Amino acid sequence: MRVSLQTNSIIRILGRLVLVEGALMLVPLLVCLAYGESDWKGFAVAVAAATAAGGFAELATAGAPATIRSREGFIITALVWIVFALFGIIPFMMSDAPLGFTDAVFEVISGFTTTGASVITDVEAQSRGILFWRAFTQWIGGLGIVLFMLAVVPELNKAAGISLFQAEATGITHGKLHPRIRQTALSLWGVYSLLTVATILLLWAGPMDLFDSVCQTFATVATGGFSTRNAGIAYWDSDYVVWVLTASMFAAGLNFMLIYSARRGGIREILRNDVFRAYCAIIAGAYILLLADAFIRGEADSLDRALAYPVFHIVSAVTSTGFSVCSIESWGPFAFFVTLLLMISGACAGSTSGGIKIDRQIVLGRNLANEIKRTVFPKRSYIVSLNGSALQSSLLSRVTAFTAVYLLAMIVSTGIITMFGYTFGDSLFMTASCIGCNGLGYGATGAGGTFAALPVAVKWLLTAVMLVGRLELFTFLVLFLPSFWKR
């Protein structure tokens, strides 16, 4: 029996999400007013538009229950990023240093997906309100727009909330901390908020003022990478800032469910976790490789403060934050190679980072080891386990398919960009940067260029790539299946 699509429920929930966005944009509006900036007008228009659209959706679907299934959950999760962007671009387009439509869409999608690739060449020319909004979009999108909605709307505490949570949560498994999905959302946002407050206070205690501390923190805990300074983190020229941000990025790359569960199980809960150990091993291994490369090239003394800067860069790359304190081009081709691998890898599932995720890499590695053993001992039975739990064969197939499609998407996007005259290295790096929600630049988008100089067609392609990467492919690709709309 064909089950009809619950269109009213989709419109009703999207309308409420837009109302939430309108309320959130009041914060940068107040920042503009506090600093006496005229950009408050753009935020006022955006708030009014979001309120009107959300209010109309609420009235048009009055009486319709907010009950959805997995199909509606996928649609809402995919559409909400686009809907949020439509209202989020208004302040950028109406600012005193306005962006065009394409650039505004690129910038706000880069923010909400926590990519951090920017088309604003002079961020210091922007108002405090715009700079706050850029950082705030990343903080909102860090754990996910839908997850925020689950925390603030009580009626999405049943099947509707579970469908939305499963559609947006990243990783290979989506376990819940609590029987009620809203409690899970609140717990995750509690960890996220605690990390945010701690980082703000630590940065404020250093060379940053309160405004810069807040904006840099939003970009850090969301692993986004937007900065309020043209020189980025290098502006402060402070080892203290580098180490604080490194620690915060490292924490943001962990599974937030694991951090929360450690409240009861203690630090041992984290230390015996397979993914955590692999996460630490990847960072340590990358550091050793960069240091060895510097010695081989006879430039160990020039590898910008042989400890702080390389570790900062590695953690920034693997967590998809995209902060940098110096140009990676100056570190040589091997550093480019290591950085690219880190960007593709990503950190832990259930974190704010992008990439394939370490969880999937562990599963792929253990499955490969089993296949090698099966070649020698074909009659034996083998299982793949993660943190002591055996994984079903269907999950192994999904992990393999995800990785294959992820790499295929990178190949196709890289090929398309080379058609516009960019080198293979530059095309591959900007694709890996956007699909992994990383934001790091190299070559055409690095020290010698900027995302702003890219052709319009490439900007739209990379905008789509950012969305695909943030939604972890399947949530987006499932919408293109004819059978998805027929059942």
Side-chain angles (χ1 to χ4, degrees), residues 40-81:
W40 68 268
K41 298 173 185 176
F43 288 105
V45 171
V47 170
T51 303
F56 177 78
E58 190 74 18
L59 291 174
T61 59
T67 55
I68 61 172
R69 297 147 303 176
S70 59
R71 184 163 56 148
E72 287 82 9
F74 283 121
I75 294 171
I76 292 170
T77 303
L79 288 180
V80 68
W81 301 87

Side-chain angles (χ1 to χ4, degrees), residues 11 25 28 60 116 129 164 168 176 243 284 308 328 361 391 403 444 447 463:
I11 294 173
M25 282 193 283
L164 290 170
E168 187 177 62
K176 301 198 301 294
W243 282 116
I328 186 180
Q361 296 168 58
L391 304 181
T403 306
T463 299

